[in-house]
Amino acid sequence: MSSGTKPRVYYKKSGDNNTFVGNTSADNGWKYVEANGTSTPFDFTIDYSIINGGSIGVGDVVQYFVVAQDNAPAQNVAINSGTFAAQPTSVALTSAAFPIGGTINSYTIQASISGTFHVGTAQSAPYNTLTAAIAEVNSKVMNGAVTLLLDDATYNSTSETFPITIAQNSGASATNILTIKPNTSNTATITGSASALLKLNGADYVIIDGSNSGGSTRDLTINNTNTASCTPVWIASLGTGQGATNVTLKNCTLSTGSTTATTTYGVFTGASSAVGTAGDDNDQLLIQNNAINTAYYGVYAAAGSTGLLDGLQILQNAIGSSVTANQIGKAGITVIQATGATIAQNEIFNINGAVTNPQGIVIGTGVVSSSVSRNSIHGLFYNGTGGYGGKGIDINTGTASSALTISNNILYDILGDGWSTLSSDAIVGIRILGSTGGVNLYYNTVNLSGNAPRTAATVSAALYIVSTASSLNIRDNILSNSIVNATTSSKAYAIYSDAASSAFTAINYNDYYQRHPGSARYIGAADKATLSARQPGTTQDANSISADPLVNSATSLKPQLGSPVLATGTPVSVTVDYDNNSRSGSTPSMGAYENGADVVGPVVTYTALSNALVATSRTFSNVAATDISGINGSSGTRPRVYYKKGNLFNEWNDNTSSTQGWKWVEAMARHRHSTSRSTIRSCHW
């Protein structure tokens, strides 16, 4: 291949003549440059200095087509795109080949943009609304970072047109990032009703940061009041290989208008075509430190098998609400078709209502090489009477080589009226379903408790494993179930496995605890009333225990000092605990916490004093104070009795008789107290 016969790109301004008369800036018509290389694939450098007039400007439309010839004896010439007026015999086109017909490719010369811009009603157009500001960015090529600072308190449908769509920008990069955030000291709200308020339509390198300080404060609320098929923020893919990539959504409060409509999402990641439709290759997304409420799904991220979500991170979000009307309706986090995902340090709470089978985290089809760690999942409660229950973590990847690690999660307060089938509607802490395999379950603490009121026989389990699961590595977990069932034929299992012993590559160093009579462990198609009876069913579990883990309370799962789970586990690949404390390299603790703690105050008991005669003081004895870590008996910190006359103020001022309120004396030996009349104001006994 030699000069003169290499592929060429022909180009011109759209308003120039559709002919070829010469290859200089003085000629009105098509120009050309040859390919830079000598073999396919080729690249070209379009030279604007030879275009008619010698330059281009913003708004100019440049048309172009590529021609190439083969090495046949009678050389054939092809064009893309357009059609020749007469078939040429060489890439060195003559005027006979023109005018070019058909559809001709073109592009528009755009202006560039970079810098920081304030957005608000006090600004000049196009920065007086967020809609116009985004349209301005979309119309230009980013040649540097662009930051839009929100100056106003509210951006709503009075001035905005929703959804505000952020388009792909050819200049976006790891340095040329579009950031949208509240201005310093401003608290902003974006509110309206639409499919979405902000739609990232295949847009790359975008940060939506709700903090006005550059920290972790949540100073931006995005509230979509729509009640169906909607989300506040829509991260949308234009197709396989055309996802919205390197997007960060952090420090925001996100909500919709309904907790019960099945198509409302706190954050939705999928296709551009419709909210709720899976979309490929929305890669390297970070969803961090958001407060998400008032939606059926908290975070929903779904792709197809041809374009997995790579590198998805869902971190440190608070998903739920203490206000009933603002709770999540169905599921906290749902991920489908992803690789390298990290779901960590989220709190998912109060999914509580009449929606059946509330779920904390759903790891769905095609999720591989991912981790779920250090999440707190609680308050999942079905409050109807139809026979359903909460599910803390559901895992159903559909692949035997999932390479998942589920570690250091705490799950509690998961209830419902109950059901008889664990694979469908019963109360379960963690479930492994379908043909899922390759799961590491390490250092989790599941504590089921409370009352399941259904009058028919029910079952519940801290861990349920379906018969088709495989390659499971289950070590160092606390699986505790003390649910009280309404019927004596009901059972509360610590572990219920329909899988054969061959499904476990390792299962050991776990604490399986059931508090109530009639409960059991289920393995090998039969109930096992004791741990020793269970061990042959797995051919492992030699170092597992069946003991009360002595957590501090039903909702505070850190073990008490002296708990049997402390320093009785085995090292695995996870090296920190729920609190990010280092694990022992030789004898780590079972469950999510490496260290025990006494977080509950002492138990104080005594016999109430009877009425008495007037005196200067009164002594009472046998005050018992007990605590797992002992009672402090040093002066100034030993037990005290506080007392006052019934008609004096219920307040504390000081410990003299000159003020109203409570007075105190410290305990003497063996916690005997003496109340002093001299410290009580206006002492007339």
Side-chain angles (χ1 to χ4, degrees):
M1 182 176 292
S2 59
S3 178
T5 60
K6 292 195 291 186
R8 297 181 178 186
V9 59
Y10 283 78
Y11 57 98
K12 71 178 183 70
K13 294 179 186 178
S14 61
D16 291 346
N17 293 337
N18 191 355
T19 188
F20 181 79
V21 293
N23 210 35
T24 73
S25 61
D27 302 313
N28 188 345
W30 291 94
K31 316 298 173 184
Y32 73 86
V33 293
E34 287 191 330
N36 294 324
T38 59
S39 61
T40 191
F42 298 97
D43 61 82
F44 302 87
T45 302
I46 294 176
D47 182 2
Y48 292 136
S49 69
I50 62 173
I51 208 163
N52 185 28
S55 65
I56 57 169
V58 173
D60 283 342
V61 176
V62 178
Q63 295 178 306
Y64 67 97
F65 62 88
V66 176
V67 293
Q69 68 185 57
D70 61 20
N71 291 320
Q75 294 170 337
N76 302 294
V77 179
I79 182 173
N80 185 357
S81 63
T83 57
F84 296 120
Q87 182 64 33
T89 59
S90 168
V91 294
L93 302 181
T94 66
S95 59
F98 297 90
I100 301 299
T103 301
I104 304 173
N105 287 329
S106 66
Y107 58 88
T108 301
I109 303 301
Q110 293 180 285
S112 62
I113 186 172
S114 64
T116 298
F117 305 90
H118 291 259
V119 179
T121 54
Q123 306 301 317
S124 300
Y127 298 104
N128 54 332
T129 69
L130 183 57
T131 303
I134 293 298
E136 178 75 358
V137 176
N138 288 343
S139 70
K140 297 181 178 181
V141 176
M142 293 171 58
N143 64 342
V146 175
T147 300
L148 301 181
L149 295 177
L150 305 180
D151 288 344
D152 291 347
T154 303
Y155 298 80
N156 58 32
S157 55
T158 301
S159 56
E160 307 292 347
T161 301
F162 298 116
I164 299 172
T165 300
I166 303 171
Q168 286 183 320
N169 192 298
S170 60
S173 69
T175 54
N176 298 352
I177 299 171
L178 171 62
T179 300
I180 303 169
K181 63 179 301 177
N183 198 4
T184 304
S185 301
N186 184 43
T187 300
T189 297
I190 302 172
T191 184
S193 179
S195 58
L197 301 188
L198 298 177
K199 182 179 182 181
L200 283 64
N201 204 30
D204 305 322
Y205 296 102
V206 177
I207 297 174
I208 301 172
D209 181 0
S211 176
N212 62 21
S213 64
S216 59
T217 57
R218 297 176 181 138
D219 305 306
L220 175 61
T221 296
I222 308 176
N223 175 29
N224 191 341
T225 59
N226 198 357
T227 57
S229 299
C230 68
T231 179
V233 179
W234 183 354
I235 302 169
S237 169
L238 298 174
T240 303
Q242 301 180 75
T245 65
N246 296 285
V247 170
T248 296
L249 174 61
K250 65 180 181 179
N251 304 325
C252 296
T253 298
L254 307 165
S255 60
T256 73
S258 174
T259 65
T260 57
T262 60
T263 53
T264 57
Y265 306 84
V267 179
F268 176 70
T269 296
S272 178
S273 56
V275 172
T277 301
D280 290 353
D281 293 316
N282 290 318
D283 297 334
Q284 309 305 325
L285 304 184
L286 172 60
I287 302 169
Q288 183 177 30
N289 193 43
N290 301 286
I292 302 171
N293 62 74
T294 321
Y296 197 75
Y297 296 99
V299 177
Y300 193 98
S305 60
T306 57
L308 301 184
L309 304 176
D310 296 340
L312 173 67
Q313 296 183 78
I314 305 173
L315 310 176
Q316 300 164 334
N317 300 283
I319 303 174
S321 176
S322 58
V323 178
T324 300
N326 298 337
Q327 294 174 354
I328 297 298
K330 175 65 173 179
I333 296 172
T334 302
V335 178
I336 299 169
Q337 299 288 2
T339 182
T342 301
I343 303 171
Q345 295 179 267
N346 301 283
E347 182 183 17
I348 300 168
F349 63 104
N350 292 352
I351 305 177
N352 184 342
V355 175
T356 61
N357 296 321
Q359 297 163 298
I361 296 175
V362 179
I363 304 301
T365 301
V367 179
V368 296
S369 303
S370 299
S371 65
V372 179
S373 65
R374 300 173 63 194
N375 300 285
S376 174
I377 302 171
H378 58 94
L380 277 59
F381 191 93
Y382 166 71
N383 62 16
T385 58
Y388 300 97
K391 319 286 185 287
I393 300 176
D394 266 353
I395 307 167
N396 191 353
T397 67
T399 177
S401 54
S402 303
L404 301 181
T405 296
I406 316 297
S407 66
N408 285 322
N409 300 286
I410 60 173
L411 301 90
Y412 62 92
D413 192 22
I414 300 172
L415 270 173
D417 65 332
W419 192 243
S420 56
T421 307
L422 290 163
S423 60
S424 59
D425 302 321
I427 303 163
V428 188
I430 299 174
R431 294 197 304 179
I432 300 175
L433 300 170
S435 55
T436 300
V439 177
N440 301 319
L441 208 64
Y442 298 148
Y443 294 127
N444 299 284
T445 296
V446 182
N447 188 55
L448 302 185
S449 62
N451 297 313
R454 189 170 181 80
T455 55
T458 64
V459 293
S460 61
L463 171 63
Y464 171 71
I465 302 165
V466 75
S467 62
T468 48
S470 62
S471 301
L472 306 178
N473 190 336
I474 302 175
R475 288 183 283 174
D476 296 316
N477 302 281
I478 296 173
L479 304 172
S480 175
N481 189 349
S482 58
I483 287 177
V484 177
N485 302 98
T487 63
T488 57
S489 58
S490 296
K491 294 180 180 179
Y493 293 91
I495 180 172
Y496 190 111
S497 176
D498 280 323
S501 60
S502 58
F504 303 99
T505 57
I507 181 167
N508 205 356
Y509 292 93
N510 301 296
D511 182 13
Y512 309 107
Y513 180 66
Q514 301 97 225
R515 185 179 301 274
H516 300 294
S519 300
R521 304 152 192 84
Y522 185 95
I523 192 76
D527 283 352
K528 310 295 182 181
T530 65
L531 178 60
S532 59
R534 184 204 186 306
Q535 287 163 333
T538 62
T539 69
Q540 301 187 57
D541 270 322
N543 301 100
S544 293
I545 62 175
S546 181
D548 188 339
L550 297 177
V551 295
N552 273 278
S553 73
T555 59
S556 177
L557 303 191
K558 184 169 284 190
Q560 299 175 31
L561 300 178
S563 167
V565 302
L566 296 175
T568 53
T570 189
V572 293
S573 58
V574 176
T575 58
V576 298
D577 75 348
Y578 177 83
D579 287 332
N580 205 34
N581 295 315
S582 295
R583 292 280 186 179
S584 167
S586 56
T587 55
S589 297
M590 298 175 183
Y593 295 99
E594 178 69 4
N595 304 310
D598 180 7
V599 299
V600 178
V603 176
V604 180
T605 58
Y606 56 83
T607 301
L609 296 173
S610 60
N611 295 331
L613 298 175
V614 173
T616 58
S617 63
R618 185 175 185 184
T619 299
F620 67 100
S621 304
N622 295 321
V623 177
T626 59
D627 191 89
I628 189 69
S629 60
I631 301 298
N632 196 312
S634 302
S635 178
T637 57
R638 65 175 61 134
R640 296 180 179 185
V641 59
Y642 282 77
Y643 57 98
K644 73 176 183 68
K645 291 175 67 174
N647 61 346
L648 298 184
F649 293 161
N650 189 3
E651 63 185 22
W652 162 256
N653 292 299
D654 58 39
N655 210 35
T656 71
S657 61
S658 61
T659 58
Q660 285 267 9
W662 292 91
K663 313 300 170 185
W664 58 266
V665 293
E666 280 192 337
M668 298 178 286
R670 296 181 64 251
H671 301 165
R672 182 178 64 195
H673 298 265
S674 176
T675 59
S676 173
R677 176 182 177 187
S678 65
T679 58
I680 296 183
R681 185 171 183 262
S682 301
C683 297
H684 299 288
W685 290 51

